[in-house]
């Protein structure tokens, strides 16, 4: 049992997590602060971009992996995973560059993320219905 398509998306999200973690560490070193954000808007945006990835990406990846293991067509897994990954990258970009405020990339990113999770949920339900009718 392997999940090569989901594996690639997990690798990309893992790299994004490290990039966002480095942003948080940069501010923690700057302010010598292990907890909190020193009332710095950019620091808060970096923490939230990192946290938001951790909140959404695991569920999306787990759903993709289950769908792939259950035999859902790899093309559907691919496009759903692309929406998840692009959504997470856009959201992080918008969160950091918008300094936590409204930013086009943040909005498109969360919509793509929600869409990917919704599609993954529907694919899983459809797959179960096809198998167990």
């Amino acid at each position: 049992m392997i999940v090569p398509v989901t594996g690639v998306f997990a690798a990309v999200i893992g790299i994004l997590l490290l990039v966002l973690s480095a942003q948080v560490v940069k501010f923690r070193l700057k302010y010598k602060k292990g907890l909190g954000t020193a009332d710095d808007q950019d620091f808060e945006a970096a923490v939230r971009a990192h946290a938001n990835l951790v909140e959404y990406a695991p569920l999306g990846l787990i759903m993709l992996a289950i769908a792939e293991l259950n035999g859902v067509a790899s093309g559907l897994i691919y496009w759903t995973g692309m929406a998840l990954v692009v959504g997470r990258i856009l959201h992080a970009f918008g969160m950091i560059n918008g300094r936590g405020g409204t930013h086009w990339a943040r909005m498109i990113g969360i919509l793509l993320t929600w869409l990917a999770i919704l599609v993954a949920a529907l694919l899983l339900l459809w797959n179960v219905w096809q198998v167990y009718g």
Side-chain angles (χ1 to χ4, degrees), residues 2 5 10 14 21 47 52 54 58 63 81 85 89 101-103 112 118 130:
I2 60 170
V5 178
S21 296
V47 167
N52 198 273
V54 171
M63 293 172 78
V85 169
I89 291 169
T102 303
H103 191 281
L112 281 173
L118 176 61
Q130 290 291 313

Side-chain angles (χ1 to χ4, degrees), residues 31 76 116 122 125:
Y31 289 109
L76 294 172
L122 293 173
L125 290 171

Side-chain angles (χ1 to χ4, degrees), residues 1-71:
M1 296 190 309
I2 60 170
V3 287
V5 178
T6 304
V8 171
F9 294 128
V12 173
I13 286 178
I15 292 168
L16 177 60
L17 180 67
L18 291 175
V19 169
L20 294 176
S21 296
Q23 289 290 314
V24 173
V25 168
K26 175 184 78 171
F27 283 109
R28 295 220 178 280
L29 292 173
K30 176 181 176 181
Y31 289 109
K32 296 179 174 63
K33 200 146 177 78
L35 189 62
T37 58
D39 293 325
D40 181 297
Q41 189 172 1
D42 293 331
F43 190 178
E44 179 71 23
V47 167
R48 285 306 311 147
H50 176 267
N52 198 273
L53 178 69
V54 171
E55 292 162 4
Y56 281 99
L59 177 62
L61 290 170
I62 289 167
M63 293 172 78
L64 286 173
I66 293 169
E68 191 169 6
L69 286 169
N70 284 358

